[in-house]
């Protein structure tokens, strides 16, 4: 239920949302929606109406959408939001798992893998990369269309070229500098 379900079913499409307007004028490839969820741990899959999955360590969680830079939450899961945005005309999802952001411990591969199952538009994985192996692990574990990182490059811990070379050496297709 809720606005995401209405939008996904077509009932919520009015042509007036910013996603619909930008998609109509410039094409869906011009609309990238940032989805910024955080984990909410639960005791069982029946504890909530949201999609609950098992994460490494055996715990169960769902991914709650956040707004205002993660400072506020909403009673909507990341998959509901992404599905609704795709239905409205979004062309890509940039998926940031707040729990992994800045941790340099790798991506939230369970979240990314499920998102790729739920939407047909490209998914850009973000938040958590601390070394080139994290990109390799993410691409091997998920069908993400791209991997994004910022902090490791800003802090000059590793270069973009080093990450790309490692990804290619692991047999994963990647554009190298031209």
């Amino acid at each position: 239920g809720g606005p995401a379900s209405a939008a996904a079913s077509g009932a919520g499409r009015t042509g007036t949302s910013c996603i619909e307007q930008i998609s109509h004028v410039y094409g869906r490839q011009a609309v990238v929606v940032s989805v910024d969820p955080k984990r909410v741990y639960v005791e069982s899959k029946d504890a909530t109406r949201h999609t609950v999955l098992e994460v490494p360590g055996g715990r169960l969680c769902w991914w709650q959408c956040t707004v205002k830079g993660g400072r506020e939450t909403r009673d909507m899961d990341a998959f509901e939001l992404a599905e609704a945005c795709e239905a409205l005309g979004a062309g890509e999802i940039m998926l940031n798992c707040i729990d992994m952001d800045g941790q340099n411990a790798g991506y939230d591969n369970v979240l990314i893998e499920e998102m790729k199952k739920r939407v047909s538009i490209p998914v850009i994985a973000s938040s958590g990369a601390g070394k080139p192996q994290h990109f390799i692990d993410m691409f091997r574990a998920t069908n993400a269309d791209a991997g994004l990182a910022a902090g490791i490059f800003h802090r000059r811990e590793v270069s973009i070229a080093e990450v790309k070379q490692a990804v290619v050496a692991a047999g994963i297709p990647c554009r190298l500098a031209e």
Side-chain angles (χ1 to χ4, degrees):
S5 298
S9 70
R13 285 184 271 182
T14 62
T16 59
S17 73
C18 59
I19 293 174
E20 291 168 292
Q21 290 181 26
I22 295 167
S23 182
H24 176 74
V25 173
Y26 299 103
R28 76 173 31 242
Q29 78 284 349
V31 183
V32 179
V33 174
S34 180
V35 177
D36 304 330
K38 66 181 229 170
R39 290 178 177 181
V40 176
Y41 292 98
V42 293
E43 294 300 317
S44 74
K45 292 190 176 195
D46 300 327
T48 178
R49 68 175 179 83
H50 302 292
T51 300
V52 174
L53 299 171
E54 185 176 323
V55 294
R59 293 181 74 188
L60 298 174
C61 76
W62 67 281
W63 286 266
Q64 185 173 34
C65 289
T66 66
V67 295
K68 299 184 180 177
R71 292 185 304 277
E72 293 182 15
T73 58
R74 296 293 185 260
D75 187 26
M76 176 182 287
D77 74 39
F79 312 114
E80 285 180 276
L81 178 62
E83 289 168 341
C85 290
E86 179 179 28
L88 290 172
E92 290 186 16
I93 300 294
M94 185 172 75
L95 186 57
N96 303 294
C97 183
I98 289 177
D99 303 277
M100 305 305 274
D101 196 31
Q103 301 301 306
N104 292 349
Y107 294 93
D108 189 335
N109 293 333
V110 175
L111 170 65
I112 299 162
E113 181 180 21
E114 182 67 16
M115 186 63 74
K116 280 299 295 176
K117 292 176 184 174
R118 301 286 286 270
V119 297
S120 62
I121 56 178
V123 173
I124 304 163
S126 180
S127 300
K131 58 186 179 182
Q133 187 63 44
H134 291 150
F135 287 86
I136 295 165
D137 294 344
M138 181 270 298
F139 284 122
R140 286 184 174 156
T142 75
N143 287 318
D145 299 279
L148 184 151
I152 61 170
F153 302 130
H154 295 311
R155 293 185 299 271
R156 300 193 194 298
E157 293 167 15
V158 65
S159 72
I160 295 171
E162 288 174 288
V163 170
K164 287 184 170 195
Q165 290 163 359
V167 167
V168 168
I172 300 164
C174 180
R175 269 194 322 251
L176 296 173
E178 307 201 4

